[in-house]
Coordinates of all heavy atoms in Angstrom, one line a residue:
M1102 N 0.8 -1.2 0.0 CA 0.0 0.0 0.0 C 0.9 1.3 0.0 O 0.6 2.2 -0.8 CB -0.9 0.0 1.2 CG -1.9 1.1 1.2 SD -3.3 0.9 2.4 CE -2.4 1.5 3.9
I1103 N 1.9 1.3 0.8 CA 2.8 2.4 0.9 C 3.6 2.6 -0.4 O 3.8 3.8 -0.9 CB 3.7 2.3 2.1 CG1 2.9 2.4 3.4 CG2 4.7 3.5 2.1 CD1 3.6 2.2 4.7
S1104 N 4.0 1.5 -1.0 CA 4.7 1.6 -2.2 C 3.8 2.2 -3.4 O 4.3 3.0 -4.2 CB 5.4 0.3 -2.6 OG 4.4 -0.7 -2.9
N1105 N 2.5 1.8 -3.3 CA 1.6 2.4 -4.3 C 1.4 3.9 -4.0 O 1.4 4.7 -5.0 CB 0.2 1.6 -4.2 CG 0.3 0.3 -4.8 OD1 1.1 0.0 -5.6 ND2 -0.6 -0.5 -4.3
L1106 N 1.4 4.3 -2.8 CA 1.3 5.7 -2.4 C 2.5 6.5 -2.9 O 2.3 7.5 -3.5 CB 1.1 5.9 -0.9 CG 1.1 7.3 -0.4 CD1 -0.2 8.1 -1.0 CD2 1.0 7.4 1.1
A1107 N 3.6 5.9 -2.7 CA 4.9 6.6 -3.2 C 4.8 6.7 -4.7 O 5.3 7.7 -5.3 CB 6.1 5.8 -2.8
E1108 N 4.3 5.7 -5.4 CA 4.2 5.8 -6.9 C 3.3 6.9 -7.3 O 3.6 7.6 -8.2 CB 3.8 4.4 -7.4 CG 3.9 4.3 -8.9 CD 3.5 2.9 -9.4 OE1 4.0 1.9 -8.7 OE2 2.9 2.8 -10.4
I1109 N 2.1 6.9 -6.6 CA 1.2 8.0 -7.0 C 1.7 9.4 -6.7 O 1.5 10.3 -7.6 CB -0.2 7.8 -6.1 CG1 -0.8 6.5 -6.6 CG2 -1.0 9.0 -6.3 CD1 -2.0 6.0 -5.7
L1110 N 2.4 9.5 -5.6 CA 3.0 10.8 -5.3 C 4.3 11.1 -6.0 O 4.8 12.2 -6.0 CB 3.3 10.9 -3.8 CG 2.1 10.8 -2.8 CD1 2.5 10.7 -1.4 CD2 1.2 12.0 -3.1
D1111 N 4.8 10.1 -6.7 CA 6.1 10.2 -7.5 C 7.2 10.6 -6.6 O 7.9 11.5 -6.8 CB 5.9 11.2 -8.6 CG 7.1 11.1 -9.6 OD1 7.7 10.1 -9.7 OD2 7.5 12.2 -10.1
V1112 N 7.4 9.9 -5.5 CA 8.5 10.1 -4.5 C 9.2 8.7 -4.4 O 8.6 7.7 -4.4 CB 8.0 10.6 -3.2 CG1 7.4 11.9 -3.3 CG2 7.0 9.7 -2.5
P1113 N 10.5 8.8 -4.1 CA 11.2 7.5 -3.8 C 10.8 6.9 -2.5 O 10.2 7.5 -1.7 CB 12.7 8.1 -3.7 CG 12.7 9.4 -4.4 CD 11.4 9.9 -4.2
F1114 N 11.0 5.5 -2.5 CA 10.5 4.7 -1.4 C 11.4 3.6 -1.1 O 11.9 3.0 -2.1 CB 9.1 4.2 -1.8 CG 8.6 3.1 -0.9 CD1 8.0 3.4 0.4 CD2 8.7 1.8 -1.2 CE1 7.6 2.4 1.2 CE2 8.3 0.8 -0.4 CZ 7.7 1.1 0.8
I1115 N 11.8 3.5 0.1 CA 12.6 2.3 0.5 C 12.0 1.7 1.8 O 11.3 2.4 2.6 CB 14.1 2.7 0.8 CG1 14.3 3.7 2.0 CG2 14.8 3.2 -0.4 CD1 15.7 3.9 2.4
T1116 N 12.3 0.4 1.9 CA 11.8 -0.3 3.1 C 13.1 -0.7 3.9 O 14.0 -1.3 3.3 CB 11.1 -1.6 2.7 OG1 9.9 -1.2 2.0 CG2 10.6 -2.4 3.9
I1117 N 13.0 -0.4 5.2 CA 14.1 -0.8 6.1 C 13.6 -1.8 7.1 O 12.6 -1.6 7.7 CB 14.7 0.3 6.8 CG1 15.2 1.5 5.8 CG2 15.8 0.0 7.8 CD1 16.4 1.0 5.0
V1118 N 14.2 -3.0 7.3 CA 13.8 -4.0 8.3 C 14.6 -3.6 9.5 O 15.8 -3.7 9.6 CB 14.2 -5.4 7.8 CG1 13.7 -6.4 8.8 CG2 13.4 -5.7 6.5
C1119 N 13.9 -3.2 10.5 CA 14.5 -2.6 11.7 C 15.3 -3.7 12.5 O 16.3 -3.4 13.2 CB 13.5 -2.1 12.7 SG 12.7 -0.5 12.0
T1120 N 15.0 -5.0 12.4 CA 15.7 -6.0 13.1 C 17.1 -6.1 12.5 O 18.0 -6.8 13.2 CB 15.0 -7.3 13.0 OG1 14.7 -7.7 11.7 CG2 13.6 -7.3 13.8
Q1121 N 17.4 -5.6 11.4 CA 18.7 -5.7 10.8 C 19.6 -4.5 11.2 O 20.8 -4.5 10.9 CB 18.6 -5.8 9.2 CG 17.9 -7.0 8.7 CD 17.7 -6.9 7.2 OE1 17.9 -5.9 6.6 NE2 17.4 -8.0 6.6
L1122 N 19.0 -3.5 11.8 CA 19.8 -2.4 12.3 C 20.5 -2.6 13.6 O 20.0 -3.3 14.5 CB 18.8 -1.1 12.4 CG 18.1 -0.6 11.2 CD1 17.2 0.4 11.5 CD2 19.1 -0.1 10.1
T1123 N 21.7 -2.1 13.7 CA 22.4 -2.1 14.9 C 22.8 -0.7 15.4 O 22.9 0.2 14.6 CB 23.7 -3.0 14.8 OG1 24.6 -2.4 13.8 CG2 23.4 -4.4 14.3
A1124 N 23.1 -0.7 16.7 CA 23.6 0.6 17.2 C 24.9 1.0 16.6 O 25.7 0.1 16.2 CB 23.7 0.5 18.7
S1125 N 25.2 2.3 16.5 CA 26.5 2.7 16.0 C 27.7 2.1 16.7 O 27.6 1.9 17.9 CB 26.6 4.2 16.0 OG 26.2 4.9 14.9
G1126 N 28.7 1.7 16.0 CA 29.8 1.1 16.5 C 29.8 -0.5 16.5 O 30.8 -1.1 16.9
Y1127 N 28.7 -1.1 16.2 CA 28.6 -2.5 16.1 C 28.6 -2.9 14.6 O 28.2 -2.1 13.7 CB 27.3 -3.0 16.7 CG 27.3 -2.9 18.2 CD1 26.8 -1.8 18.9 CD2 27.9 -3.9 19.0 CE1 26.8 -1.7 20.2 CE2 27.9 -3.8 20.4 CZ 27.3 -2.7 21.0 OH 27.4 -2.6 22.4
E1128 N 28.9 -4.1 14.4 CA 29.0 -4.6 13.0 C 27.5 -4.8 12.5 O 26.7 -5.3 13.2 CB 29.7 -5.9 13.0 CG 29.9 -6.5 11.6 CD 30.9 -7.6 11.6 OE1 31.8 -7.7 12.3 OE2 30.5 -8.6 10.8
G1129 N 27.3 -4.4 11.3 CA 25.9 -4.5 10.8 C 25.5 -3.1 10.2 O 26.2 -2.2 10.2
R1130 N 24.2 -3.1 9.8 CA 23.6 -1.8 9.3 C 23.2 -0.9 10.4 O 22.6 -1.4 11.3 CB 22.4 -2.1 8.4 CG 22.7 -3.0 7.2 CD 21.4 -3.1 6.4 NE 21.0 -1.9 5.8 CZ 19.9 -1.6 5.2 NH1 19.0 -2.7 5.1 NH2 19.6 -0.5 4.7
N1131 N 23.5 0.3 10.2 CA 23.0 1.3 11.3 C 22.1 2.3 10.6 O 21.9 2.3 9.4 CB 24.2 2.0 12.0 CG 25.1 2.7 11.1 OD1 24.7 3.4 10.1 ND2 26.4 2.7 11.3
V1132 N 21.6 3.2 11.4 CA 20.6 4.1 11.0 C 21.1 5.0 9.8 O 20.4 5.3 8.9 CB 20.0 5.0 12.1 CG1 19.1 6.0 11.7 CG2 19.3 4.0 13.1
E1133 N 22.4 5.4 9.9 CA 22.9 6.3 9.0 C 23.0 5.6 7.6 O 22.9 6.2 6.6 CB 24.4 6.7 9.4 CG 24.4 7.7 10.5 CD 24.2 7.0 11.9 OE1 24.4 5.8 12.0 OE2 23.8 7.7 12.9
D1134 N 23.1 4.2 7.6 CA 23.2 3.5 6.3 C 21.8 3.6 5.5 O 21.9 3.6 4.3 CB 23.5 2.0 6.6 CG 24.9 1.8 7.1 OD1 25.7 2.6 6.8 OD2 25.1 0.7 7.7
M1135 N 20.7 3.7 6.3 CA 19.5 3.8 5.5 C 19.4 5.2 4.8 O 18.8 5.2 3.7 CB 18.3 3.5 6.4 CG 17.9 4.6 7.4 SD 16.5 4.0 8.4 CE 16.1 5.5 9.2
I1136 N 20.0 6.2 5.4 CA 20.0 7.5 4.7 C 20.8 7.4 3.4 O 20.5 7.9 2.4 CB 20.5 8.6 5.6 CG1 19.5 8.7 6.8 CG2 20.6 10.0 4.8 CD1 18.0 9.0 6.5
T1137 N 22.0 6.8 3.5 CA 22.8 6.5 2.4 C 22.1 5.8 1.3 O 22.2 6.2 0.1 CB 24.1 5.8 2.8 OG1 24.8 6.6 3.8 CG2 25.1 5.6 1.6
E1138 N 21.4 4.7 1.7 CA 20.7 3.9 0.7 C 19.6 4.8 0.1 O 19.4 4.7 -1.2 CB 20.0 2.8 1.4 CG 19.2 1.9 0.5 CD 18.5 0.7 1.3 OE1 19.0 0.3 2.3 OE2 17.5 0.2 0.7
L1139 N 18.9 5.7 0.8 CA 17.9 6.5 0.3 C 18.5 7.5 -0.8 O 18.0 7.7 -1.8 CB 17.1 7.3 1.3 CG 16.1 8.3 0.9 CD1 15.0 7.5 0.2 CD2 15.5 9.0 2.0
V1140 N 19.6 8.1 -0.4 CA 20.3 9.1 -1.3 C 20.7 8.3 -2.5 O 20.6 8.9 -3.7 CB 21.5 9.8 -0.6 CG1 22.3 10.6 -1.6 CG2 20.9 10.7 0.5
N1141 N 21.2 7.1 -2.4 CA 21.6 6.3 -3.6 C 20.4 6.0 -4.5 O 20.5 6.1 -5.8 CB 22.2 5.0 -3.2 CG 23.6 5.2 -2.6 OD1 24.3 6.2 -3.0 ND2 24.1 4.3 -1.9
V1142 N 19.2 5.7 -3.9 CA 18.0 5.5 -4.7 C 17.6 6.7 -5.4 O 17.1 6.7 -6.5 CB 16.8 5.0 -3.8 CG1 15.5 5.1 -4.4 CG2 17.1 3.6 -3.3
C1143 N 17.8 7.9 -4.8 CA 17.5 9.2 -5.4 C 18.6 9.6 -6.4 O 18.6 10.8 -6.8 CB 17.3 10.2 -4.4 SG 15.8 9.8 -3.3
Q1144 N 19.6 8.8 -6.6 CA 20.8 9.1 -7.5 C 21.5 10.4 -7.1 O 21.9 11.2 -7.9 CB 20.3 9.2 -9.0 CG 19.7 7.9 -9.4 CD 19.1 7.9 -10.8 OE1 18.7 9.0 -11.3 NE2 19.0 6.8 -11.5
G1145 N 21.7 10.5 -5.8 CA 22.4 11.7 -5.3 C 21.6 13.0 -5.1 O 22.2 14.0 -4.6
D1146 N 20.3 13.0 -5.5 CA 19.6 14.2 -5.4 C 19.0 14.3 -4.0 O 18.0 13.7 -3.6 CB 18.4 14.1 -6.4 CG 17.6 15.4 -6.5 OD1 17.7 16.2 -5.6 OD2 16.8 15.5 -7.4
E1147 N 19.7 15.2 -3.2 CA 19.3 15.3 -1.8 C 17.9 15.9 -1.6 O 17.2 15.6 -0.7 CB 20.4 16.1 -1.0 CG 21.7 15.3 -1.0 CD 22.8 16.1 -0.2 OE1 22.5 17.1 0.5 OE2 24.0 15.7 -0.4
D1148 N 17.6 16.9 -2.5 CA 16.3 17.5 -2.4 C 15.1 16.4 -2.6 O 14.2 16.4 -1.9 CB 16.1 18.6 -3.4 CG 17.0 19.8 -3.2 OD1 17.2 20.0 -2.0 OD2 17.4 20.5 -4.1
R1149 N 15.4 15.5 -3.6 CA 14.4 14.4 -3.7 C 14.4 13.5 -2.5 O 13.3 13.0 -2.1 CB 14.7 13.7 -5.0 CG 13.7 12.7 -5.5 CD 13.7 12.5 -7.0 NE 12.9 11.4 -7.4 CZ 11.7 11.3 -7.5 NH1 10.9 12.4 -7.3 NH2 11.0 10.3 -8.0
A1150 N 15.6 13.2 -2.0 CA 15.6 12.3 -0.8 C 14.9 12.9 0.4 O 14.3 12.2 1.2 CB 17.1 12.1 -0.5
E1151 N 14.9 14.2 0.5 CA 14.2 14.8 1.6 C 12.6 14.7 1.5 O 11.9 14.8 2.5 CB 14.5 16.4 1.7 CG 15.9 16.7 2.1 CD 16.2 18.1 2.1 OE1 15.3 18.9 1.7 OE2 17.2 18.5 2.5
K1152 N 12.2 14.4 0.3 CA 10.7 14.3 0.1 C 10.4 12.8 -0.2 O 9.5 12.5 -0.9 CB 10.3 15.1 -1.1 CG 10.5 16.6 -0.8 CD 10.3 17.5 -2.0 CE 10.6 18.9 -1.8 NZ 12.0 19.2 -1.7
S1153 N 11.1 11.9 0.4 CA 10.9 10.5 0.2 C 10.2 9.8 1.3 O 10.0 10.4 2.4 CB 12.3 9.8 0.0 OG 13.0 10.4 -1.1
I1154 N 9.9 8.5 1.1 CA 9.2 7.7 2.1 C 10.2 6.6 2.6 O 10.7 5.9 1.7 CB 7.9 7.1 1.6 CG1 6.9 8.2 1.3 CG2 7.3 6.2 2.7 CD1 5.6 7.7 0.7
I1155 N 10.4 6.5 3.8 CA 11.2 5.4 4.4 C 10.2 4.6 5.3 O 9.7 5.1 6.3 CB 12.3 5.9 5.3 CG1 13.4 6.7 4.5 CG2 13.0 4.6 5.9 CD1 14.5 7.2 5.3
Y1156 N 9.9 3.4 4.9 CA 9.0 2.5 5.7 C 9.9 1.6 6.6 O 10.8 0.9 6.2 CB 8.3 1.6 4.7 CG 7.3 0.7 5.5 CD1 6.2 1.1 6.3 CD2 7.6 -0.7 5.5 CE1 5.4 0.2 7.0 CE2 6.9 -1.6 6.3 CZ 5.7 -1.1 7.0 OH 5.0 -1.9 7.7
L1157 N 9.6 1.7 7.9 CA 10.3 1.0 8.9 C 9.6 -0.3 9.2 O 8.6 -0.2 10.0 CB 10.6 1.8 10.1 CG 11.4 3.1 9.9 CD1 11.4 3.9 11.2 CD2 12.8 2.8 9.4
D1158 N 10.0 -1.4 8.7 CA 9.3 -2.7 8.9 C 9.8 -3.3 10.2 O 11.0 -3.2 10.5 CB 9.5 -3.6 7.7 CG 8.6 -4.8 7.7 OD1 7.6 -4.7 8.4 OD2 8.9 -5.8 7.0
E1159 N 9.0 -4.0 10.9 CA 9.3 -4.7 12.2 C 9.9 -3.8 13.3 O 10.6 -4.1 14.1 CB 10.3 -5.8 11.8 CG 9.7 -6.9 11.0 CD 10.6 -8.1 10.8 OE1 11.5 -8.3 11.7 OE2 10.4 -8.9 9.9
K1160 N 9.4 -2.5 13.2 CA 9.8 -1.5 14.3 C 9.3 -2.0 15.6 O 9.9 -1.6 16.7 CB 9.3 -0.2 13.9 CG 7.9 0.0 13.7 CD 7.6 1.4 13.2 CE 6.2 1.5 12.6 NZ 6.0 0.7 11.4
D1161 N 8.3 -2.8 15.7 CA 7.8 -3.3 17.0 C 8.7 -4.2 17.7 O 8.7 -4.4 18.9 CB 6.4 -4.0 16.8 CG 6.5 -5.2 15.9 OD1 7.1 -5.0 14.8 OD2 5.9 -6.2 16.2
K1162 N 9.7 -4.7 16.9 CA 10.8 -5.6 17.5 C 11.9 -4.9 18.2 O 12.6 -5.4 19.0 CB 11.4 -6.5 16.4 CG 10.4 -7.3 15.6 CD 9.9 -8.5 16.3 CE 9.1 -9.4 15.4 NZ 8.0 -8.9 14.6
L1163 N 11.9 -3.5 18.0 CA 12.9 -2.7 18.8 C 12.4 -2.4 20.2 O 11.4 -1.7 20.3 CB 13.2 -1.4 18.1 CG 13.8 -1.5 16.6 CD1 13.9 -0.1 16.1 CD2 15.1 -2.1 16.7
R1164 N 13.0 -2.9 21.1 CA 12.5 -2.7 22.5 C 13.8 -2.7 23.4 O 14.8 -3.3 23.1 CB 11.5 -3.8 22.9 CG 12.1 -5.2 22.8 CD 11.0 -6.2 23.3 NE 11.3 -7.5 22.9 CZ 12.3 -8.2 23.6 NH1 12.9 -7.7 24.6 NH2 12.5 -9.5 23.2
K1165 N 13.6 -2.2 24.6 CA 14.7 -2.2 25.5 C 14.8 -3.5 26.1 O 13.9 -4.2 26.5 CB 14.4 -1.2 26.6 CG 15.5 -1.0 27.6 CD 15.2 0.1 28.6 CE 16.4 0.1 29.6 NZ 16.2 1.1 30.6
K1166 N 16.0 -4.0 26.1 CA 16.4 -5.3 26.6 C 17.1 -5.1 27.9 O 17.8 -4.1 28.2 CB 17.2 -6.2 25.6 CG 16.5 -6.4 24.4 CD 17.3 -7.2 23.4 CE 16.6 -7.3 22.1 NZ 17.6 -7.8 21.0
N1167 N 17.1 -6.1 28.8 CA 17.7 -6.0 30.1 C 19.1 -6.6 30.0 O 19.5 -7.3 30.9 CB 16.9 -6.7 31.2 CG 15.5 -6.0 31.4 OD1 15.5 -4.7 31.3 ND2 14.5 -6.7 31.7
T1168 N 19.8 -6.3 29.0 CA 21.2 -6.8 28.9 C 22.1 -5.7 28.5 O 21.8 -4.6 28.1 CB 21.3 -7.9 27.8 OG1 21.1 -7.2 26.5 CG2 20.4 -9.0 27.9
D1169 N 23.4 -5.9 28.9 CA 24.4 -4.9 28.5 C 24.8 -4.8 27.1 O 25.2 -3.8 26.5 CB 25.7 -5.1 29.3 CG 25.5 -4.8 30.9 OD1 24.6 -4.1 31.2 OD2 26.3 -5.5 31.7
N1170 N 24.5 -5.9 26.3 CA 24.9 -6.1 25.0 C 23.6 -5.9 24.1 O 23.1 -6.7 23.4 CB 25.4 -7.5 24.7 CG 26.1 -7.5 23.3 OD1 26.3 -6.5 22.7 ND2 26.3 -8.8 22.9
D1171 N 23.0 -4.7 24.2 CA 21.8 -4.3 23.5 C 22.2 -3.8 22.1 O 22.1 -2.6 21.9 CB 21.0 -3.3 24.3 CG 19.6 -3.0 23.7 OD1 19.2 -3.8 22.9 OD2 19.0 -2.0 24.1
V1172 N 22.5 -4.6 21.2 CA 23.0 -4.2 19.9 C 22.0 -3.6 19.0 O 22.2 -2.6 18.3 CB 23.7 -5.5 19.2 CG1 24.1 -5.1 17.8 CG2 24.9 -5.9 20.0
N1173 N 20.8 -4.2 19.1 CA 19.8 -3.6 18.1 C 18.5 -3.2 18.9 O 17.4 -3.4 18.3 CB 19.5 -4.5 17.0 CG 19.0 -5.9 17.4 OD1 19.0 -6.2 18.6 ND2 18.6 -6.8 16.4
G1174 N 18.6 -2.7 20.0 CA 17.4 -2.3 20.8 C 17.4 -0.8 21.0 O 17.1 0.0 20.2
M1175 N 17.7 -0.4 22.2 CA 17.6 1.0 22.7 C 18.6 1.9 21.8 O 18.2 3.0 21.5 CB 18.0 1.1 24.1 CG 17.6 2.4 24.8 SD 15.8 2.5 24.7 CE 15.6 3.7 26.0
G1176 N 19.8 1.5 21.4 CA 20.7 2.4 20.7 C 20.1 2.7 19.3 O 20.2 3.8 18.9
V1177 N 19.4 1.7 18.7 CA 18.7 2.0 17.4 C 17.6 2.9 17.6 O 17.4 3.8 16.8 CB 18.3 0.6 16.7 CG1 17.5 0.9 15.5 CG2 19.5 -0.2 16.4
Q1178 N 16.8 2.7 18.6 CA 15.6 3.6 18.9 C 16.1 5.0 19.0 O 15.5 6.0 18.5 CB 14.9 3.2 20.2 CG 14.1 1.9 20.0 CD 13.5 1.5 21.4 OE1 13.2 2.4 22.2 NE2 13.3 0.3 21.6
Q1179 N 17.2 5.2 19.8 CA 17.7 6.6 20.0 C 18.2 7.2 18.7 O 18.0 8.4 18.4 CB 18.8 6.6 21.1 CG 18.3 6.3 22.4 CD 19.3 6.1 23.5 OE1 20.5 6.0 23.2 NE2 18.9 6.1 24.8
A1180 N 18.9 6.4 17.9 CA 19.4 6.9 16.6 C 18.2 7.3 15.7 O 18.3 8.3 15.0 CB 20.2 5.9 15.9
L1181 N 17.1 6.5 15.7 CA 16.0 6.8 14.9 C 15.3 8.1 15.3 O 14.9 8.9 14.6 CB 15.0 5.6 14.9 CG 15.4 4.4 14.0 CD1 14.5 3.3 14.4 CD2 15.4 4.7 12.6
L1182 N 15.2 8.3 16.7 CA 14.6 9.5 17.2 C 15.4 10.7 16.9 O 14.8 11.8 16.5 CB 14.4 9.3 18.7 CG 13.3 8.4 19.2 CD1 13.3 8.2 20.7 CD2 11.9 8.9 18.8
K1183 N 16.7 10.6 16.9 CA 17.6 11.7 16.6 C 17.4 12.1 15.1 O 17.4 13.3 14.8 CB 19.1 11.3 16.8 CG 20.0 12.3 16.7 CD 21.4 11.8 17.0 CE 22.3 12.9 17.6 NZ 23.6 12.4 17.9
L1184 N 17.2 11.1 14.3 CA 16.9 11.4 12.9 C 15.6 12.2 12.6 O 15.5 13.1 11.9 CB 16.9 10.1 12.1 CG 17.6 10.1 10.8 CD1 18.3 8.7 10.6 CD2 16.6 10.3 9.7
I1185 N 14.6 11.8 13.4 CA 13.3 12.4 13.3 C 13.3 13.8 13.8 O 12.7 14.7 13.2 CB 12.2 11.6 14.0 CG1 12.0 10.3 13.4 CG2 10.9 12.3 14.2 CD1 11.2 9.3 14.1
E1186 N 14.2 14.1 14.8 CA 14.3 15.4 15.4 C 14.8 16.4 14.3 O 14.4 17.5 14.1 CB 15.2 15.5 16.5 CG 14.6 14.8 17.8 CD 15.6 14.8 18.9 OE1 16.8 15.0 18.7 OE2 15.2 14.4 20.0

């Protein structure tokens, strides 16, 4: 449904699976990588990237864990919030 909306609005669209994201400093994809992917989809056009849709799939899986090694929980949540600000 969202990809159809993006097509109607003529804006770029990417889907990010949140369970694949890790906090900065850990091996794996981080939040900044999704912005790089979006700019690549927009062929370097930053103005077009600003008017794009990023769909965050499985965002409900990001939750605070009671461990010291919280690689893809709270750190990813904080990075996503920082991006929204």
Side-chain angles (χ1 to χ4, degrees):
M1102 186 168 82
I1103 295 173
S1104 63
N1105 287 339
L1106 176 63
E1108 190 175 318
I1109 291 167
L1110 296 174
D1111 190 31
V1112 296
F1114 168 78
I1115 62 170
T1116 299
I1117 301 296
V1118 179
C1119 290
T1120 56
Q1121 296 175 349
L1122 297 174
T1123 61
S1125 269
Y1127 290 94
E1128 189 173 321
R1130 294 182 69 189
N1131 61 37
V1132 173
E1133 291 80 17
D1134 291 338
M1135 71 182 194
I1136 300 303
T1137 302
E1138 181 180 337
L1139 180 63
V1140 171
N1141 287 338
V1142 166
C1143 296
Q1144 300 174 335
D1146 186 346
E1147 293 179 16
D1148 290 330
R1149 189 153 167 79
E1151 288 178 0
K1152 297 169 183 76
S1153 301
I1154 297 174
I1155 300 175
Y1156 176 70
L1157 301 173
D1158 193 20
E1159 297 188 19
K1160 60 190 162 290
D1161 58 315
K1162 306 283 190 309
L1163 296 176
R1164 57 179 169 76
K1165 185 176 180 180
K1166 298 176 185 169
N1167 293 329
T1168 65
D1169 291 336
N1170 192 14
D1171 186 17
V1172 174
N1173 61 353
M1175 196 63 160
V1177 172
Q1178 288 180 30
Q1179 290 173 346
L1181 287 169
L1182 287 173
K1183 190 177 205 181
L1184 223 141
I1185 291 170
E1186 289 175 349

